[in-house]
Amino acid sequence: MSPLFIANWKMQLSDVASVALAQEARALAHDAVTLVLCPSFNALADVAVAIAGSDIALGAQDCAWEERGALTGEVSPEDLKQLGCTYVLVGHSERRRELGETDALVGKKLRAACAAGLMPVLCVGEDAAERAAGKRGAVIARQCSAGFDAVADLRPSEILVAYEPVWAIGTGVSAAPEDAAAAAVSIAALAASHDIHARVLYGGSVDADSVGAFMARKEIAGVLVGTASQTATGLRDMIVALQAVT
Ligand code: PGA
């Protein structure tokens, strides 16, 4: 299976810039890579047009926890699907930290995403204090269990889990590949104990120089990338590096 490269553009790019970058992505050969672009909500429709007919997939950075309702400002997973999304991130640490998203809410979002037929990417990972206190395993287990419990009865054929240590996001300091691989093993085992097949990604300061070391680990199915995916050069270098390791 080709490695997944999920580009998280966060709130960094305007609609115009997102479309331009999507067009750049489209012009790159990436046969050996499954590329998923996650622009902000406002750019989804235009990016969908920019990548139409290519093998690039579209993802959203978040979704509502209900299909429909009086939820001002929220975006239904069903509507994301109608827009052409096939992937959606849930529980990104920036949302957990800045907006107080709890494990329970993230579990509901995961459920809503699965119910809508989107491929969810459940983001988990410890922060610096939790890491220092030796709580990495416990934090990952708690976050994953909340998600897996919320969807177990839906029997999703597969879900994606991104192990993203909070201290590694946007800092230029990524986790050691062996630590990411160990986290991936425990996440996959926990998923299996819920009868769920999980493929695990790593995220947190991945760039063209470091991606090879992560992809050399068979436990890691791909990468979730912020900074190094947000420019044409970064995107191209990442794809070249990924092609080289596959
Ligand atoms: P980063 O972001 O690659 O800039 O560390 C990753 C993410 O937040 O998904």
Side-chain angles (χ1 to χ4, degrees):
M1 200 171 275
S2 60
L4 261 170
F5 170 18
I6 304 186
N8 178 7
W9 292 347
K10 310 195 180 188
M11 201 184 70
Q12 300 287 15
L13 304 177
S14 68
D15 175 58
V16 170
S18 299
V19 168
L21 195 51
Q23 283 162 346
E24 296 269 4
R26 192 178 179 141
L28 299 167
H30 42 82
D31 324 327
V33 181
T34 301
L35 178 60
V36 183
L37 302 182
C38 300
S40 50
F41 282 134
N42 63 303
L44 282 169
D46 288 340
V47 170
V49 171
I51 61 175
S54 75
D55 55 7
I56 301 175
L58 188 65
Q61 298 173 14
D62 182 40
C63 69
W65 57 98
E66 301 280 355
E67 185 186 319
R68 207 53 72 192
L71 295 170
T72 304
E74 290 296 323
V75 180
S76 163
E78 197 58 46
D79 293 340
L80 293 173
K81 194 162 176 221
Q82 295 300 322
L83 269 175
C85 291
T86 46
Y87 293 78
V88 62
L89 309 183
V90 295
H92 191 282
S93 64
E94 286 154 9
R95 301 193 62 83
R96 293 180 190 259
R97 187 184 63 221
E98 302 293 333
L99 298 160
E101 289 199 1
T102 61
D103 290 336
L105 179 65
V106 173
K108 285 166 127 186
K109 290 185 174 196
L110 188 68
R111 185 177 176 84
C114 287
L118 294 167
M119 174 59 78
V121 185
L122 171 65
C123 303
V124 301
E126 80 286 1
D127 65 22
E130 290 161 340
R131 180 193 191 208
K135 292 185 181 158
R136 182 184 73 170
V139 170
I140 296 173
R142 190 199 75 225
Q143 293 176 335
C144 285
S145 295
F148 299 156
D149 285 343
V151 297
D153 67 305
L154 295 180
R155 305 211 151 274
S157 57
E158 179 174 82
I159 68 172
L160 297 171
V161 180
Y163 170 55
E164 293 208 303
V166 179
W167 49 268
I169 295 177
T171 60
V173 180
S174 53
E178 54 271 29
D179 288 346
V185 169
S186 58
I187 290 167
L190 191 59
S193 73
H194 287 73
D195 280 332
I196 293 170
H197 178 248
R199 285 206 293 151
V200 184
L201 316 176
Y202 170 75
S205 294
V206 177
D207 61 16
D209 292 333
S210 63
V211 71
F214 290 105
M215 294 318 306
R217 300 280 171 164
K218 63 176 184 339
E219 303 88 345
I220 299 175
V223 285
L224 175 54
V225 184
T227 313
S229 75
Q230 293 163 359
T231 61
T233 316
L235 206 58
R236 188 193 58 234
D237 291 350
M238 278 293 304
I239 290 172
V240 169
L242 275 164
Q243 305 263 40
V245 295
T246 52

